[in-house]
């Protein structure tokens, strides 16, 4: 629990409550759901809407007061110069008071409606982030990260801003146009109709313009991201570009992408200008008509100059909000589309979650068992694992080999339930992994991935990623075992060096070593190296292996590798082919067997002797 | 300049525990944002981009002036219509005249606004694209040494963010000319209509100026803070998405959620502050408007009552007052836009001014396919900086059709030697000759056509498999591409992709394995069909099946070509016609495998260590081998 600068209390419980609230309202239409969600801030919302109504009414009083004052100045409404000046003074004071009040209420209107939006944004961000973290691998496999990021930024904005740019504006325009029209029409029907004549036209043009601009905006974003891609890939692959002397080719590619975007940008300028010009025109045309017909009425004595002036000022007041009507329409369209996407994401069922009331995994010995495990990826027809059974005891190292696509990594991913088995079961000390809590399971199983993700933060934070409260000595020991400590010590900032996208860039081997260190900090019962030494040279790998052996005494170690030398010391090697274990045994046994393992071994130790390049001109 | 202090609340957020070694997201503090608002040198450079469109700019400035004039005229006409047409019993003719005038002004206004907005919008877009093109083209020319030390992200932000703020500046600057004229116009008109009343009304104007002067720096900081926290939060979210597998793998969800909550909450606070700063101006402007109107009513009203002022003037005043504060508001905003634009402009010119250190000589010759395909290093000295030599007096000849393997421990200068064949960098002394010509005497383009290069890290572009393999050899047909793929053994897996050769490679081929990407880059080099092939063998471990395929592909690739291979695999090294051993930038041994083994130097020592690849040999062992070789 903490207090912010304003002294309000912000607690962790609130954050969880926001996440829970975002899940309410499943099945509602997006606009209704956003509205109800926004109304979770009843006081702010009520203040915003109340202030909007008051501010609009105050604003509508201004033309009246002005008209009145104009008439007073002509001495129409009062008797004698004294009385007239008195009246003018009071009109002026009223006008001043109304202006000040209007300003204050407009402030409240804008601030509170934005504030609702910011709160909704904050809460939805939490719900979104929470969902991202909960959805299993299978979901992230099928959805692009870029699409998710767009959803979390742009769709969320569309939803967040609906209250202020949509709902509040409906209130504003209803009061302004409704009450305004009533006031005008009750004063003079003909002139009132003329004064309002621009409203439907401008509303229509403005809506069409906004919707067209939005549609083209989406296309423009695509074109611009194509352009970005061309530039980024060119700069990232500059050596390839230079190697093929493809600068002109690249420039042409850039030019094409650039032209496409520019053309559309010009088109959009056209759409915008055509509409704004015609809107201004229709507004002034209506004003001209009011001046003409109103003027005639004044001459005929049917109307005072003040009333005419109030009609004219009323029009100028109405102009802006009516022009922005298109933005309101757009806000509805956007919120509906964005809300639909965002809420279906938030409502996405989580296929891998704790069953209700499951106990934590209790590791006593640490025996890992695969019992006839079968697995098929969602959407695939062919099983990736087909009846895999084996048992591993603490202290044992199990090596797994096989051709790409034989199911090696999948096997590793099933243990911590990144995916759920399609058949059979996996147990640790007799407990089915799907019958224990995910948190306890994942803390007991560490998988070092081949392509591990490093976070843009210090080396220390990266190593401590799985256990942010681990002691410094523990972190350093892990780094030592991963043969990374000396390198880190050699960096000017040591363990405080920031790595990743915006820091020191590490080589593939260093990244893998960092990932290994990251897992060594934990004390898992099962440790899996999923081809995680591919970029590390054999010598270093050997040293890592001997260092790890100290850790490995009381745990099961699974090593997936292409490099057979990495598996020489495994207690048992499983040879996978098409999701089945086709050979198993120790290195020596498998060699003696003379089967597939033997063939692979020969391939690696005695590469084709007949390789010879070129037709040498010796 | 960062307004956000690192969140010290993180400590308190985990009660009863010491702070975790953890953070989410990362944030690059943006470079200087509020600099000088006017820098003549930068302006001159920017002007060069605007100059081609100057007629359009003049036209739109003229249109802006006309547009502003019509805006100034409308209240005047209304005032005249009232005074000459409606008061004292009225005058239909005068009213009609006024309405007629109104109609004319209206048409002119329509035309002017159309011209102005179209021109300004399009010119600003054009300038934006031109600037980007100029920078991009320059980046194609600059030396690789510059690209080596510059982050792609930094360049991208110049190609995108900086050009956008220039565009914003151009768009608003024409409009602010209009604002300026409008402001002056209103002042002049008000004073002309009635000097005393005008002066009194205008007295409210400086108040707004003063308020804005105090408000602006604070508000700017608040807006900037809101912007910063927003991108921090967005960055943390993106990281959460990109790293989601690792997060779940290491069970970091809870800690991350709390850390993210802190960032999102801090963002909420700065957004609210920003919003407060933005909105506080509303009642101030409204009050000043009310004040000005009150003055007009009280003072102007009594003037009308004495008969010394006409009522139409009052109406005109009221109309002007409603427009009065708009130009002040946008002009003060323009100042920040200018500051931003100057900073951006400076950064853009920095990129444009990076020298293209490697250029074709004016009389450079075109290297053709008839050249013999030999490569020669003649006493080459080279270093990325003068004081740290990478290659020292290296001389060797690769005969046409011969395959030479370059071997040596890390840092021995192999990669640099390879880069020199393609003239990525200039030698410090000596010369590199291709086909008997100094690479400095031939055009870079023709050199690139005759020397194909395969890099260690295969780089693929977004696009179809076909486009990637053909790359810039647009004359290559689908059959050529298929033939090349069959030759390197990539055809089969390509056909297994859902769209075959038309399959689009997502995110630089991340849907392919490293080995497969390697094979595609081989096919690309084969299609390029150059006489000389320079190849940096991949060090990463590839599964044995693909590895074998790659070895076979290498043979195909080198057939009938001169080859220079930075070899890591013993198989590749043994297969070469000749081996050149580099160490610390010096050529220490040269010959075929048997000769070198007989010589019993460094090569023989390393070979006898029985590692599958020279790069696998730990540094200490290399040092030992060296010592032993030196002793013999």
């Amino acid at each position: 629990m903490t207090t912010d600068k304003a002294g309000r209390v912000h607690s962790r419980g609130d954050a969880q409550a926001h996440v829970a609230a975002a899940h309410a309202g499943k099945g509602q239409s997006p606009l209704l759901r956003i509205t109800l969600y926004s109304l979770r801030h009843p006081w702010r919302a009520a203040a915003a809407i109340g202030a909007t109504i008051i501010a609009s009414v105050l604003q509508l009083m201004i033309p009246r007061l002005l008209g009145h004052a104009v008439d007073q100045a002509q001495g129409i409404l009062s008797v004698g110069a004294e009385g007239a000046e008195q009246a003018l003074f009071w009109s002026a004071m009223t006008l001043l008071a109304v202006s000040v009040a209007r300003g204050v209420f407009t402030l409240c209107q804008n601030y509170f409606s934005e504030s609702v939006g910011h709160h909704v944004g904050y809460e939805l961000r939490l719900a979104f982030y929470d969902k991202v973290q909960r959805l299993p691998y299978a979901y992230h496999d099928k959805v692009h990260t870029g699409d998710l990021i767009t959803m979390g930024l742009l769709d969320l904005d569309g939803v967040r801003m609906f209250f202020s740019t949509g709902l509040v504006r409906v209130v504003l325009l209803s009061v302004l146009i409704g009450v305004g029209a009533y006031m005008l029409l009750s004063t003079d029907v003909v002139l009132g109709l003329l004064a309002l004549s621009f409203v439907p036209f401008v509303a229509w043009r403005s809506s069409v313009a906004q919707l067209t601009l939005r549609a083209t905006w989406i296309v423009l974003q695509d074109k611009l991201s194509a352009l970005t891609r061309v530039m980024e890939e060119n700069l990232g692959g500059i050596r390839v570009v230079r190697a093929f002397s493809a600068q002109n080719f690249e420039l042409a590619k850039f030019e094409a992408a650039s032209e496409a975007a520019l053309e559309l940008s010009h088109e959009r300028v056209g759409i915008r200008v055509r509409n704004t010009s015609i809107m201004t025109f229709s507004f002034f045309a209506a004003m001209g008509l009011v001046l003409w017909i109103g003027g005639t009425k004044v001459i005929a004595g049917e109307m005072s100059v003040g009333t005419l002036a109030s009609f004219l000022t009323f029009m100028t007041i109405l102009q802006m909000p009516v022009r922005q009507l298109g933005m309101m329409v757009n806000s509805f369209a956007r919120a509906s589309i964005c809300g639909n996407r965002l809420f279906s994401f938030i409502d996405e069922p989580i296929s891998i979650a704790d069953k209700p009331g499951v106990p934590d995994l209790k590791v006593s010995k640490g025996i890992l068992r695969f019992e006839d495990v079968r697995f098929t990826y969602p959407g695939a027809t062919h099983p990736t694992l087909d009846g895999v059974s084996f048992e591993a005891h603490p202290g044992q190292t199990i090596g797994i080999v096989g051709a790409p696509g034989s199911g090696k990594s999948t096997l590793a991913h099933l243990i911590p339930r990144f995916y759920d088995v399609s058949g059979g079961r996996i147990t640790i000390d007799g407990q089915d992994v799907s019958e224990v809590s995910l948190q306890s399971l994942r803390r007991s199983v560490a998988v070092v991935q081949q392509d591990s993700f490093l976070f843009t933060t210090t080396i220390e934070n990266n190593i401590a990623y799985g256990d942010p409260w681990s002691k410094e000595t523990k972190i350093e020991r892990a780094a030592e075992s991963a043969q990374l400590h000396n390198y880190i010590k050699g960096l000017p900032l040591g363990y405080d060096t920031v790595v990743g996208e915006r820091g020191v860039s590490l080589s593939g081997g260093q990244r893998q070593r960092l990932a290994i260190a990251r897992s060594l900090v934990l004390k898992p019962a099962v440790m899996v190296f999923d081809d995680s030494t591919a970029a590390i040279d054999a010598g270093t790998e050997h040293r890592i292996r001997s260092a790890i052996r100290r850790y490995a005494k009381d745990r099961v170690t699974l090593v997936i590798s292409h490099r057979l030398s990495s598996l020489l010391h495994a207690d048992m090697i499983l040879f996978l082919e098409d999701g089945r274990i086709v050979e198993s045994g120790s290195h020596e046994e498998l060699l003696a067997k003379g089967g597939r393992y033997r063939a692979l071994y020969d391939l690696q130790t005695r590469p084709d002797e007949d390789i010879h390049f070129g037709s040498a001109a010796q | 300049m960062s307004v956000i202090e690192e969140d010290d609340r993180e400590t308190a957020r985990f009660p009863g525990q010491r702070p975790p070694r953890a953070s989410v997201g990362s944030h690059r503090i943006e470079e200087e944002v509020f600099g000088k608002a006017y820098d003549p040198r930068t302006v001159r450079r920017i002007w060069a981009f605007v100059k081609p469109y100057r007629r359009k700019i003049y036209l739109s400035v003229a249109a802006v002036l006309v547009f502003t004039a019509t805006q100034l005229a409308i209240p005047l006409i209304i005032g005249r219509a009232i005074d000459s047409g409606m008061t004292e019993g009225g005058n239909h003719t005068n009213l009609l005249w006024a309405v007629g005038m109104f109609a004319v002004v209206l048409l002119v206004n329509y035309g002017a606004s159309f011209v102005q907005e179209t021109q300004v919008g399009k010119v600003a877009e054009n300038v934006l694209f031109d600037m980007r093109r100029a920078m991009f083209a320059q980046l194609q020319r600059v030396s690789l040494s510059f690209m080596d030390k510059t982050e792609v992200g930094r360049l991208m932000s110049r190609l995108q963010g900086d050009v956008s703020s220039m565009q914003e500046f151009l768009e608003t600057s024409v409009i602010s000319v209009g604002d300026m004229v409008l402001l002056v116009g209103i002042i002049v008109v008000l004073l002309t209509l009635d000097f005393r009343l005008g002066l009194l009304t205008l007295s409210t104007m400086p108040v707004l100026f003063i308020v804005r002067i105090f408000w602006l720096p604070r508000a700017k900081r608040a807006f900037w803070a809101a912007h910063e926290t927003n991108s921090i939060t967005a960055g943390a979210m993106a990281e959460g998405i990109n790293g989601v597998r690792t997060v779940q793998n290491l069970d970091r969800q809870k800690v991350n959620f709390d850390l993210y909550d802190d960032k999102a909450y801090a963002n909420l606070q700065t957004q609210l502050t920003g919003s407060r700063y933005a909105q506080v101006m509303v009642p101030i402007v409204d009050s000043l408007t009310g004040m000005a109107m009150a003055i007009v009513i009280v003072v102007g009203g009594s003037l009308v009552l004495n008969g010394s002022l006409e009522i139409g003037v009052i109406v005109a005043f009221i109309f002007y007052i409603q427009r009065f504060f708009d130009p002040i508001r946008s002009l003060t905003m323009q100042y920040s836009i200018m500051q931003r634009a100057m900073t951006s402009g400076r950064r853009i010119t920095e990129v444009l001014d990076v020298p293209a250190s490697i250029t074709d000589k004016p009389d450079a010759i075109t290297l053709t396919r008839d050249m013999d395909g030999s490569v020669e290093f003649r006493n080459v000295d080279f270093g990325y900086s003068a004081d740290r030599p990478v290659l020292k007096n290296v001389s060797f000849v690769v005969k046409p059709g011969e395959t030479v393997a370059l071997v040596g421990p890390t840092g021995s200068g192999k990669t640099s030697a390879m880069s020199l064949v393609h003239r990525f960098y200039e030698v410090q002394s000596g010369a590199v000759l291709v086909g008997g010509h100094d690479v400095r005497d031939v055009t870079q383009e023709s050199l690139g056509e005759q020397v194909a290069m395969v890099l260690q890290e295969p780089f693929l572009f977004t696009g179809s498999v076909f486009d990637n393999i053909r790359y810039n050899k647009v004359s290559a047909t689908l059959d050529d591409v298929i033939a090349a793929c069959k030759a390197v053994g990539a055809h089969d897996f390509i056909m297994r992709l859902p769209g075959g050769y038309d399959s689009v490679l997502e995110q630089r081929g991340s849907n392919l394995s490293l080995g497969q990407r390697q094979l595609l880059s081989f096919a690309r080099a084969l299609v390029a069909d150059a006489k000389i092939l320079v190849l940096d063998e991949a060090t990463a471990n590839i599964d044995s099946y693909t590895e074998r395929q790659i070895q076979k592909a290498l043979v195909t690739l080198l057939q009938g070509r001169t080859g220079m291979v930075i070899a890591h695999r013993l198989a590749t090294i043994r297969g070469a016609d000749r081996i050149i051993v580099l160490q610390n930038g010096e050529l220490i041994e040269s010959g075929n495998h048997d000769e070198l083994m007989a010589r019993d130097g460094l090569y023989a020592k390393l070979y006898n260590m029985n590692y599958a690849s020279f790069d696998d040999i730990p540094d200490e062992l290399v040092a030992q081998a060296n010592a032993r070789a030196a002793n013999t």
Side-chain angles (χ1 to χ4, degrees), chain B residues 1-4 29-34 221 224 228:
Chain B
M1 153 185 173
S2 169
V3 193
I4 312 307
I29 289 164
E30 294 201 25
E31 298 165 61
E32 175 196 4
V33 189
F34 304 116
R221 229 169 319 164
W224 185 244
E228 287 248 290

Side-chain angles (χ1 to χ4, degrees), chain B residues 144-200:
Chain B
L144 270 182
S145 349
F146 171 80
M147 298 300 290
D148 288 344
K149 49 181 195 255
T150 313
E151 230 182 293
V152 170
R154 213 156 270 258
L155 288 175
M156 285 305 292
S157 90
R158 290 175 190 210
L159 285 162
Q160 295 186 302
D162 287 331
V163 289
S164 306
S165 62
M166 294 304 304
Q167 178 199 17
E168 184 192 19
F169 167 69
L170 282 174
E171 272 183 357
T172 55
S173 54
V174 174
I175 294 164
S176 54
V177 170
D179 280 332
M180 209 101 78
V181 175
L182 185 64
L183 189 61
V184 174
I186 289 177
I187 294 172
V188 171
V189 170
L190 288 189
L191 293 177
T192 324
L193 281 176
D194 188 284
F195 189 75
R196 288 156 304 166
L197 187 59
L199 212 55
L200 270 175

Side-chain angles (χ1 to χ4, degrees), chain B residues 292-352:
Chain B
M293 284 189 182
I295 292 172
V296 169
I297 289 169
V298 174
V299 180
S302 36
L303 287 175
V304 173
L305 281 173
N306 324 338
S308 54
L309 192 69
E310 286 178 294
I311 189 69
V313 175
I314 302 267
V315 176
F317 260 75
I318 289 170
F319 272 90
Y320 285 124
I321 289 169
Q322 288 176 352
R323 289 294 325 270
F324 208 54
F325 296 105
D326 293 351
I328 300 178
R329 224 182 318 191
S330 56
L331 281 173
T332 42
M333 271 301 166
Q334 178 67 12
Y335 185 76
S336 325
I337 294 175
M338 263 180 86
Q339 281 180 312
R340 226 184 355 250
M342 283 307 138
T343 314
S344 294
R346 200 168 39 68
R347 288 205 291 240
I348 290 171
T349 51
E350 269 170 24
V351 172
L352 292 174

Side-chain angles (χ1 to χ4, degrees), chain A residues 238-507:
Chain A
I238 193 87
R239 280 168 184 277
V240 175
V241 174
R242 302 275 169 111
F244 284 81
S245 286
Q247 287 96 323
N248 289 332
F249 176 75
E250 287 287 315
L251 275 172
K253 227 159 75 171
F254 170 85
E255 207 68 52
S258 186
E259 281 300 323
L262 182 60
E263 206 175 295
L264 191 63
S265 300
H266 278 178
E267 201 183 303
R268 282 169 49 80
V269 170
I271 296 170
R272 205 177 58 219
V273 172
R274 269 199 303 282
N275 284 292
T276 49
S277 310
I278 198 78
M279 285 193 276
T280 315
F281 183 81
S282 70
F283 166 73
F284 278 131
M287 197 176 227
L289 286 176
V290 169
L291 184 66
W292 185 16
I293 307 298
T296 319
K297 284 188 183 242
V298 173
I299 295 171
E302 293 166 22
M303 185 181 266
S304 71
V305 172
T307 310
L308 178 60
S310 78
F311 267 77
L312 293 172
T313 30
F314 177 78
M315 287 178 76
T316 49
I317 281 175
L318 207 55
Q319 195 205 170
M320 253 312 141
V322 173
R323 274 171 168 249
Q324 288 168 352
L325 199 130
M327 282 154 80
M328 181 190 87
V329 173
N330 182 35
S331 163
F332 272 78
R334 189 174 167 206
S336 173
I337 296 166
C338 296
N340 204 5
R341 261 196 306 251
L342 186 69
F343 286 125
S344 27
F345 175 76
I346 285 177
D347 294 342
E348 185 77 33
I350 296 171
S351 53
I352 296 184
D354 285 348
K355 289 185 184 163
V358 287
D360 281 349
L361 174 71
K362 281 183 218 46
V363 181
S364 46
K365 287 195 201 116
I367 300 170
L368 172 73
R369 258 178 81 88
F370 270 59
E371 297 171 16
D372 192 26
V373 170
R374 271 162 286 129
F375 179 74
T376 308
Y377 276 101
T381 47
H382 198 70
T384 306
L385 286 183
D386 194 4
V388 170
S389 302
F390 67 89
E391 187 175 279
H393 289 268
Q396 277 191 329
T397 299
I398 310 290
I400 300 170
V401 278
S406 57
K408 302 185 302 279
S409 292
T410 307
L411 187 151
H413 285 168
L414 294 180
I415 306 171
R417 279 185 82 199
F418 293 150
Y419 302 90
D420 268 336
V421 295
S422 320
R425 61 181 207 145
I426 299 170
T427 63
I428 295 174
D429 280 345
Q431 305 153 81
D432 188 331
V433 292
S434 62
E435 300 292 341
V436 295
S437 74
L438 265 183
Q439 191 181 357
S440 64
L441 173 67
R442 289 186 179 163
R443 294 218 160 150
S444 310
V445 180
V447 180
V448 188
Q449 317 253 16
Q450 179 181 15
D451 240 339
S452 50
F453 186 90
L454 294 191
F455 295 85
T456 304
T457 177
T458 62
I459 290 181
E460 181 180 80
N461 282 2
N462 263 300
I463 296 179
Y465 203 78
D467 178 12
W469 283 278
S470 54
K471 291 205 177 68
E472 206 167 305
T473 48
K474 202 169 160 192
I475 293 170
E476 289 191 11
R477 251 205 326 271
E480 270 167 26
S481 303
Q483 308 299 313
L484 201 59
H485 179 72
N486 288 340
Y487 168 75
I488 300 170
K489 274 290 163 206
L491 293 169
L493 290 175
Y495 279 85
D496 291 329
T497 310
V498 173
V499 292
E501 219 179 319
R502 285 170 188 173
V504 170
S505 59
L506 300 179
S507 73

Side-chain angles (χ1 to χ4, degrees), chain A residues 4 12 110 114 122 133 135 141 228 233-234 239 242-243 250 255 447 468-469 563 603-604 616, chain B residues 13 18 21 133 140 142 160 245 248-249 256 261 265 275 279 422 425 462 471 541 544 548 577:
Chain A
D4 62 31
R12 289 289 184 226
N110 293 346
E114 281 179 17
Y122 161 67
Q133 295 204 112
L135 284 167
D141 290 343
T228 304
E233 293 188 349
N234 172 283
R239 280 168 184 277
R242 302 275 169 111
E250 287 287 315
E255 207 68 52
V447 180
W469 283 278
R563 185 152 46 191
L603 186 68
Q604 285 194 13
Chain B
R13 301 305 309 264
R18 60 189 174 74
R21 300 175 198 281
R133 182 183 302 119
Q140 303 307 303
V142 303
Q160 295 186 302
R245 287 180 176 78
Q248 294 187 356
N249 192 344
N256 281 5
D261 178 28
Y265 192 72
S275 188
Q279 296 306 329
H422 212 292
Y425 309 96
T462 303
Y471 195 46
N541 245 280
S544 316
R548 194 185 156 91
D577 297 318

Side-chain angles (χ1 to χ4, degrees), chain B residues 445-502:
Chain B
E445 190 166 0
S446 65
L447 184 65
E449 278 166 21
Q450 300 311 326
V451 181
M453 218 168 182
V454 175
L455 304 167
Q456 196 179 77
E457 292 273 323
F459 186 95
L460 299 176
F461 295 86
T462 303
S464 69
V465 171
F466 173 69
D467 283 341
N468 260 290
I469 294 171
R470 188 176 66 158
Y471 195 46
N472 66 333
K473 181 131 184 174
V474 283
S475 58
T477 62
L478 180 60
D479 289 339
D480 297 339
V481 167
I482 292 176
C485 289
K486 280 186 174 157
V488 300
H491 181 71
D492 288 345
F493 84 78
I494 293 172
M495 291 315 285
R496 277 199 300 273
L497 294 174
Y501 283 85
D502 291 329

